[in-house]
Amino acid sequence: LGLRDRIGGLQAGGLALAFLFYPTTQHAILHEVHGLSFAVPFTAGLWWAVRSRKTAWALVFALLALTCREEIAFLTAGLGLSWMLERGKRVRGLVLLLASAAWFLYLTNHLMPSLGGDRDWRTYKFESLGRTHTEILRTLVTRPLYVAGLYLTAPKLGNLALFLLPLGGLSLLGWRVSLVALPLFLAIFLSDSA
C-alpha cells in the first residue's frame, strides 16, 4: 500500500515494521485471539481495493472488517470520509460512510441489545454524554465546554500521546490519513472507558 502511494519501499517497510513490532500489536498476536486483530488486514485490504478501484473487493473487505467489532464502523466511516474528498471516489466514499454509520446504528440499537447482556453499549461507553445516540450528539454539539472538561484530562491526553508515539507523531503530517482515523480516535477519546 505504501508503494502504491509513492512513499518508497524503505519507508513503506519501516511503517509495516513499526506496526508489527509495536508492543500492543505483539501482545494481541501472542496472547489472545481477538476480533480487532483480524480487522487490520481487512481494513488494509479495503484501503487497497478502493485505491485500486476494485469495487467488488472493496465490498468484500468492508463486510469482513465491519464484522470484526462495532468500533470498526468508525474506521470504515473515516475511510469513506477521506475518499469523499478525492476526485473520482466521492460516490464510493459516501456509500462507505453511510453504510458504516447504518451498520453501527443497527449493531448498537438492535443486534447487540437483542443478544442480551446487562449493559447497553451506549450507556457503558458514553454514559457521561447521554443514554441514546441522539442525546450523545446533542451533548457534543450544545455543550462543548462540558465535553472539554470531561475529556481534556491528563489520562485522556496521555492516551492520545500513546496513539501518536509509535510513529513519533508523523501521522499528523498526512491529514488525509489522519482523517481516516479521526472518527475512531474521537470514539475512543470520548468514551468513558478510555
Side-chain angles (χ1 to χ4, degrees), residues 143-186:
R143 301 180 65 197
L145 294 177
Y146 168 76
V147 173
L150 286 174
Y151 300 109
L152 293 178
T153 63
K156 292 282 186 178
L157 295 175
N159 283 344
L160 183 60
L162 289 174
F163 280 124
L164 298 174
L165 184 65
L167 298 175
L170 291 175
S171 57
L172 296 175
L173 298 177
W175 68 271
R176 285 207 174 160
V177 174
S178 296
L179 186 62
V180 170
L182 184 64
L184 182 59
F185 283 143
L186 284 175

Side-chain angles (χ1 to χ4, degrees), residues 33-132:
V33 175
H34 198 279
L36 205 50
S37 300
F38 292 105
V40 174
F42 297 149
T43 54
L46 176 58
W47 181 275
W48 164 80
V50 172
R51 302 288 290 177
S52 303
R53 297 180 184 268
K54 298 187 183 297
T55 306
W57 279 110
L59 177 63
V60 168
F61 284 120
L63 290 173
L64 288 170
L66 288 168
T67 59
C68 290
R69 192 172 162 118
E70 69 275 5
E71 287 99 331
I72 295 302
F74 291 113
L75 183 62
T76 56
L79 286 167
L81 182 61
S82 175
W83 291 326
M84 283 176 58
L85 301 176
E86 292 184 38
R87 215 163 96 149
K89 296 179 183 161
R90 287 184 175 95
V91 173
R92 289 182 188 130
L94 180 62
V95 168
L96 183 58
L97 175 70
L98 294 176
S100 299
W103 178 248
F104 176 78
L105 291 172
Y106 170 73
L107 278 178
T108 58
N109 282 326
H110 302 291
L111 186 61
M112 291 170 73
S114 73
L115 294 175
D118 57 346
R119 302 175 99 180
D120 184 359
W121 188 89
R122 294 161 301 193
T123 57
Y124 89 88
K125 285 201 173 184
F126 302 101
E127 202 167 47
S128 57
L129 296 175
R131 293 196 167 273
T132 67

Side-chain angles (χ1 to χ4, degrees), residues 3-41:
L3 291 173
R4 176 160 176 88
D5 289 330
R6 296 181 206 91
I7 66 168
L10 187 60
Q11 292 91 344
L15 290 173
L17 287 174
F19 171 76
L20 289 174
F21 289 110
Y22 187 54
T24 304
T25 305
Q26 288 296 311
H27 177 78
I29 292 169
L30 295 173
H31 299 290
E32 59 186 307
V33 175
H34 198 279
L36 205 50
S37 300
F38 292 105
V40 174

